[in-house]
Amino acid sequence: MTPEYYVIVDGEETLWCNRIDGKLEPRKRSEQLTDAVCLGTVYGIIGKFQPHPDSDQRLVLIRQMSLIGSLPGNHQVFKVNKVVLVPLSVHEAPELEMEPCTKHQSSWRRSERSPASELQQRALQKTWQTIKTATAQVKPRRTVQSRERDKYERRLLDELLKMFNDTDSFYFSPTGDLTNTLQRQVEQPPPPAGSPRWERLDDRFFWNREMLRDLTETEGGEHWVLPIIQGFVQVERCQLDPIDDGQPEAALGQDSSGAWFDVHSVARPPAKEFTMSLVSRRSRYRAGTRYKRRGVDEMGKCANYVETEQIFEHGAHVVSFVQVRGSVPVFWSQPGYKYRPPPCLDRDEAETRQAFAKHFAEQVALYGSQVIVSLVEQTGKEKLLADAYLNHVLHLDCPQLTYVSFDFHEYCRGMRFENVSILIDGIKDLIRDMRYCWLDQQGLICGQRGVFRVNCIDCLDRTNIVQTAIAKTAMDTQFVRLGLLPPEGVLPTACRRIFQMLWANNGDIISRQYAGTVALKGDFTRTGSRRLAGMMKDGYNSANRNENR
């Protein structure tokens, strides 16, 4: 830090952040920063944030991160654990909490300082004394409006910190592309020479695009552009034991001399290793929480729109399967403060048809054919939405849309969630015909043709269960093709539990982002059975969801 700039250093690259006008200026490191004070270490720039047009801008920096794992191509993925907000102003003292800088041994804020850090502290105090003296004469007089603005600003800043520090929702890869599926990355045309990496990102999931606008529009800013996604990422290494769970752990046989031996210890082939990954990407369009953001907007963007990609990596082969979820794409809302208020339609059919057509035009352009799986109730409060959805599909009359209605609550009444198998049996041919993305060292072997678009009212609990079941069916086919399982083979218990854990964790995080609590019915996704403890937990979380409105 200098009196006029915050300077972020990364090797031979530096980013000068002007504390007077907020401008970001990339420079090459051509000189030593002899008069600067080291404040600590950060791991990336999320962007700039300004709570109010009259307030100071803040630089949002990654203070702590954790490694999640590596996706195909050996691209490491990190989760943002904590951020720090740096005020781009000379009027505000930098009360910052940063990780100690390894090069300078300790941050200037540590209680036990070396002589060198004491000198840094004195230099910092001298710097701030100079700034305070220069700005004391122009300190504005506080009014009622300014106090209200400050209160509003503090609330926004607190919410921003809470969103990053408490939700486990933001991920980045310094070298990879988290916004695009594997298939989109392979099918993209070669980029023009010298074009920045961020231009190839999927705009829907580039969460901090607007916050980084100063860098994307500045020559030399490419080095500092770190795309962030909101969603979920988990990577697990697995071993598939070739001995089926149904076989006894010990089996005895006799050799030619009559001696007994353990058959498995001799004939047992080595375990097959593979990597199981799940990546969910939440759209930055029509963002908002349950009850406050429903349906579609004029541009065809839906609330709670999430793309989820399931990836398996075995040797030189990578397979993936993509599904999406999103609110019923008509204009609707749930006004009132009752528990589960009835939905109502907000626009006439003519307006809705335009937005509906825009939504599916984009979907078809991105994914190809669409299999719509609607889990909305066909009776009661939800019937209004179910009928509107079907009517607009029929009116659109698009040959690339297939509409499947499955009244989840009717079929699974009495907690018989295993009845989802009725749906899976009915769409098994559609899953097979849709195929999946399959890559090896030579490139694309086959691609996924279309996508399942699953929704209920909230696109949370019922959707989680059905998407997990569809993913399991696709996984079984992929494992047979990769030689991990024989035809009609059974996934070993350990691998099945990891698969269930990934999808249950995914459902919990997506639910927390939209509804403020973990997913309901999550015990079924996690264990494959419904339990009393899970029912009681669902009651508690359901009440919390209603309170969080």
Side-chain angles (χ1 to χ4, degrees):
M1 183 189 75
T2 71
E4 294 183 1
Y5 292 93
Y6 291 109
V7 184
I8 304 174
V9 181
D10 183 18
E12 295 302 314
E13 303 287 339
T14 60
L15 183 66
W16 293 67
C17 312
N18 195 307
R19 297 170 56 193
I20 299 175
D21 58 18
K23 291 183 179 179
L24 305 181
E25 181 184 353
R27 300 182 190 176
K28 293 293 182 181
R29 188 176 182 180
S30 57
E31 59 184 31
Q32 293 293 327
L33 301 171
T34 55
D35 60 340
V37 177
C38 179
L39 300 180
T41 298
V42 294
Y43 299 97
I45 302 170
I46 294 177
K48 289 199 305 186
F49 175 73
Q50 189 173 21
H52 188 275
D54 296 329
S55 62
D56 296 326
Q57 299 180 80
R58 260 73 172 181
L59 196 61
V60 186
L61 305 176
I62 299 174
R63 173 189 161 195
Q64 291 180 4
M65 65 178 185
S66 57
L67 177 64
I68 298 299
S70 295
L71 292 178
N74 200 30
H75 297 295
Q76 290 186 323
V77 179
F78 297 88
K79 179 174 68 178
V80 178
N81 293 333
K82 289 186 182 298
V83 300
V84 61
L85 305 181
V86 179
L88 294 176
S89 168
V90 296
H91 298 289
E92 190 170 345
E95 297 180 0
L96 309 176
E97 294 184 5
M98 293 188 182
E99 301 306 299
C101 174
T102 55
K103 182 177 180 180
H104 299 98
Q105 299 301 319
S106 63
S107 170
W108 66 274
R109 294 184 56 83
R110 294 185 64 177
S111 57
E112 296 182 1
R113 300 186 179 91
S114 64
S117 63
E118 290 288 351
L119 291 175
Q120 286 186 336
Q121 172 67 0
R122 287 198 293 270
L124 182 67
Q125 291 175 345
K126 182 179 179 181
T127 298
W128 276 111
Q129 188 61 41
T130 303
I131 294 172
K132 289 178 180 179
T133 302
T135 59
Q137 303 300 323
V138 295
K139 187 175 181 180
R141 184 178 180 181
R142 289 174 59 83
T143 63
V144 174
Q145 290 82 1
S146 65
R147 286 195 295 270
E148 288 297 320
R149 189 197 70 192
D150 291 346
K151 182 179 178 181
Y152 169 78
E153 182 177 328
R154 284 194 300 271
R155 179 181 176 185
L156 282 182
L157 294 176
D158 288 344
E159 289 296 324
L160 182 68
L161 286 172
K162 181 179 178 182
M163 180 173 63
F164 277 105
N165 297 347
D166 299 338
T167 64
D168 296 327
S169 296
F170 295 92
Y171 301 82
F172 67 94
S173 174
T175 59
D177 180 0
L178 291 183
T179 68
N180 278 302
T181 64
L182 295 180
Q183 184 167 330
R184 283 201 298 269
Q185 293 180 47
V186 172
E187 293 179 341
Q188 282 180 335
S195 62
R197 181 171 67 102
W198 61 265
E199 288 185 351
R200 297 168 59 82
L201 303 179
D202 191 321
D203 180 69
R204 298 173 298 164
F205 309 122
F206 187 176
W207 188 87
N208 57 330
R209 178 172 185 141
E210 293 302 319
M211 298 175 71
L212 290 171
R213 183 171 293 277
D214 282 11
L215 293 175
T216 58
E217 296 179 350
T218 300
E219 184 178 356
E222 158 69 8
H223 177 83
W224 300 99
V225 174
L226 184 65
I228 302 288
I229 67 164
Q230 183 185 25
F232 173 79
V233 182
Q234 188 169 350
V235 180
E236 297 290 339
R237 290 288 297 169
C238 308
Q239 282 193 339
L240 198 150
D241 195 322
I243 303 300
D244 289 340
D245 288 355
Q247 296 187 17
E249 293 185 2
L252 299 180
Q254 280 185 303
D255 59 18
S256 57
S257 64
W260 293 94
F261 64 93
D262 184 354
V263 173
H264 294 336
S265 65
V266 176
R268 183 171 184 162
K272 300 176 182 179
E273 295 187 349
F274 65 96
T275 301
M276 185 184 303
S277 306
L278 199 62
V279 181
S280 280
R281 311 167 177 98
R282 175 178 293 280
S283 174
R284 66 189 183 94
Y285 294 105
R286 194 144 178 79
T289 55
R290 181 179 183 248
Y291 288 117
K292 293 182 174 63
R293 279 291 183 272
R294 297 293 205 187
V296 73
D297 64 13
E298 290 80 0
M299 300 304 297
K301 308 296 185 181
C302 279
N304 199 22
Y305 184 91
V306 181
E307 175 188 82
T308 301
E309 182 176 20
Q310 176 179 268
I311 304 170
F312 299 106
E313 188 173 6
H314 174 58
H317 294 267
V318 180
V319 293
S320 76
F321 187 76
V322 176
Q323 302 179 71
V324 299
R325 70 177 75 190
S327 188
V328 176
V330 300
F331 292 106
W332 67 280
S333 60
Q334 280 183 287
Y337 291 93
K338 295 180 180 179
Y339 179 71
R340 292 185 63 194
C344 63
L345 301 179
D346 297 333
R347 305 277 185 93
D348 59 33
E349 286 200 5
E351 287 183 280
T352 302
R353 284 172 183 170
Q354 294 181 12
F356 191 89
K358 287 180 181 179
H359 174 72
F360 279 106
E362 181 184 55
Q363 286 289 106
V364 170
L366 287 168
Y367 300 102
S369 62
Q370 306 279 301
V371 178
I372 302 167
V373 181
S374 176
L375 309 176
V376 177
E377 295 175 3
Q378 301 299 306
T379 59
K381 296 179 181 179
E382 297 181 5
K383 186 178 187 301
L384 179 71
L385 278 183
D387 291 344
Y389 203 171
L390 177 58
N391 290 337
H392 282 289
V393 169
L394 294 174
H395 184 271
L396 188 61
D397 193 23
C398 176
Q400 292 178 291
L401 299 188
T402 301
Y403 185 85
V404 178
S405 177
F406 182 79
D407 189 333
F408 185 96
H409 287 155
E410 177 64 28
Y411 279 94
C412 301
R413 189 181 302 276
M415 298 183 298
R416 293 179 298 175
F417 297 154
E418 65 275 6
N419 286 349
V420 169
S421 61
I422 299 173
L423 169 65
I424 299 302
D425 289 341
I427 63 175
K428 189 168 291 184
D429 290 344
L430 295 174
I431 300 175
R432 181 198 63 215
D433 294 341
M434 190 171 290
R435 303 196 305 187
Y436 48 87
C437 174
W438 186 356
L439 302 169
D440 67 3
Q441 293 176 335
Q442 304 302 316
L444 187 67
I445 296 176
C446 70
Q448 183 172 334
R449 300 180 296 192
V451 73
F452 281 91
R453 187 197 189 280
V454 186
N455 73 272
C456 49
I457 287 291
D458 298 324
C459 302
L460 295 177
D461 314 316
R462 289 172 276 181
T463 298
N464 292 335
I465 292 176
V466 170
Q467 282 198 336
T468 304
I470 294 174
K472 172 65 167 57
T473 305
M475 177 184 68
D476 290 342
T477 301
Q478 292 169 335
F479 275 24
V480 171
R481 293 295 180 89
L482 292 177
L484 290 171
L485 283 178
E488 307 301 327
V490 178
L491 192 68
T493 301
C495 294
R496 185 175 68 250
R497 286 175 178 168
I498 293 175
F499 170 83
Q500 292 171 331
M501 175 189 67
L502 259 65
W503 276 95
N505 292 345
N506 176 71
D508 285 345
I509 293 298
I510 296 302
S511 178
R512 285 174 62 186
Q513 293 165 5
Y514 189 56
T517 73
V518 298
L520 309 184
K521 308 177 181 70
D523 58 327
F524 181 81
T525 305
R526 195 174 297 276
T527 66
S529 61
R530 195 71 162 126
R531 299 176 180 178
L532 178 61
M535 294 170 55
M536 296 177 66
K537 184 178 179 181
D538 283 357
Y540 173 79
N541 287 326
S542 183
N544 274 347
R545 283 185 179 181
N546 193 60
E547 185 70 22
N548 288 339
R549 295 167 57 188

